[in-house]
Amino acid sequence: SLLPGCWLAMNPGDAEPGLEGTPTTEPAFGLPALWIPAAVKERAESMGYTVVDPASIIVTHLTETIRQHAADLLTRQDVRGLLDALKERYPAVVDELVPDVLALGEVHRVLQALLMEGVGIRDLATIVETLADKGRLTKDVGLLADYCRQALARTILRPYLGPGNVLYAITLDGPLEAMLGDAVVQTGDGSYLNLDPGTVNAVLTALQGEYTRVHQQGMAPVVLCSAKVRRHLKQVSEPVLPRLAVVSYNEIQRDVDIQMVAR
């Protein structure tokens, strides 16, 4: 919902108090905001508020909605088109992958798994090369997606790196990580986390508390854990912390400076 003739003002955390307006919630990220008349725009900016016009609100909201549902929007025919375009530049790797190593449907499901976690698939050549190598070892879509993540690790981590390539990390206590690892059950259709709801809720409550505390200090932390646990921890935390990045030790580059900010 938009208010005609008004702008949306959001406090980035250090704005001066006292700005008056109609309270609302910014739609894309769920942040508290104020609708203010256009005449107050310059004053709000001078007070430190981020002020956005209605058209930009719609564009941002639509962009985030598409990003959140990219996995659903990507069809098998889309994947066929992407591979055909890639084949014009890298015919050998595409011919090696489909259909001899993986079927088109399996490639489709791997790309969907990456998109579900917000991993871009623009570097399709790297993804296809990884699948051509690892697809001979396993057909587990989740595991193949993890291999692709490791190949794309530098791109995945870039948004979370601070000055000096610092990565602020929340780690899991040793016994907790061991418990989660033991709870991973492998089946013919993949793996899942076999834990009772009470334990899952306790873990998520603790994780949400530490993430909020660190985030309020101006840091964008990631959760750092073993490759075996990573995918499952991301899946169970998605409903509570959809923007939380969960990365494995295998995805950390040598030049990244890890700073533990919570456990």
Side-chain angles (χ1 to χ4, degrees), residues 35 104 116 153 156 159 191 230 240 251:
W35 282 113
L104 179 64
M116 283 180 188
I156 292 173
S191 57
R230 191 210 67 79
V240 179
E251 296 168 7

Side-chain angles (χ1 to χ4, degrees), residues 93-108:
V93 68
V94 176
D95 288 340
E96 180 184 0
L97 176 63
V98 180
D100 294 341
V101 177
L102 294 177
L104 179 64
E106 292 169 318
V107 177
H108 179 212

